Amino acid sequence: MSIEPILHQGAPRPRGPYSSAVHAGEFIYVSGLGPIDDDDRLSPGDIQHQTRLVLVNMRKILADCGATLEDVIKCSVFLLDVSEFPKMNEVYAEFFGTIKPARTTIEAKFYQSAMRIEIDCVAYKPRS
């Protein structure tokens, strides 16, 4: 099995020594994504704004891997304040709807104080 880093277009660039996503066998692993805007900057805002931005970027990265949100089998959600779970969950449901991948959600501290959320995922997409 080879591990292939994914070069993507239109999504935030990694901010350290890691890949935004890697294709390993039939799986795609997307690194944790924060609320980064089109200018490649952290976008402050409420939890709904930041969740939407993270999931839009996740969708872009998956598209560059030949996948969609429908291929996601697992997400990990990290929240600055777990009391914002209901509002995050509303936006999350807009993107995933009836797909309902497995999910873990925990409260976490972030390096940048304006960051309220980070999400990573694993998708299953056999290579053609």
Side-chain angles (χ1 to χ4, degrees):
M1 172 179 69
S2 66
I3 297 174
E4 173 189 351
I6 305 299
L7 301 174
H8 54 80
Q9 304 295 319
R13 290 172 294 142
R15 290 179 157 36
Y18 62 91
S19 298
S20 294
V22 296
H23 210 149
E26 297 182 333
F27 293 92
I28 300 164
Y29 296 85
V30 178
S31 293
L33 298 169
I36 306 300
D37 64 19
D38 290 338
D39 293 324
D40 208 32
R41 287 186 246 161
L42 178 69
S43 182
D46 65 19
I47 190 64
Q48 292 165 308
H49 163 76
Q50 289 195 3
T51 302
R52 189 167 281 107
L53 193 50
V54 167
L55 292 172
V56 164
N57 288 331
M58 181 180 291
R59 190 167 49 199
K60 289 176 186 177
I61 291 170
L62 287 167
D64 285 343
C65 300
T68 69
L69 291 174
E70 291 183 3
D71 299 307
V72 173
I73 58 174
K74 170 75 167 76
C75 286
S76 297
V77 179
F78 305 90
L79 294 172
L80 178 64
D81 181 352
V82 77
S83 73
E84 294 183 320
F85 178 87
K87 290 181 179 181
M88 175 282 298
N89 205 42
E90 287 175 21
V91 176
Y92 185 94
E94 290 173 21
F95 283 80
F96 285 102
T98 60
I99 303 164
K100 296 185 175 38
R103 182 175 76 184
T104 301
T105 305
I106 64 168
E107 191 170 61
K109 288 187 176 185
F110 299 111
Y111 175 71
Q112 295 182 325
S113 61
M115 194 164 143
R116 309 200 67 68
I117 188 167
E118 182 174 357
I119 303 175
D120 66 27
C121 75
V122 178
Y124 178 75
K125 185 69 177 178
R127 296 177 191 240
S128 304

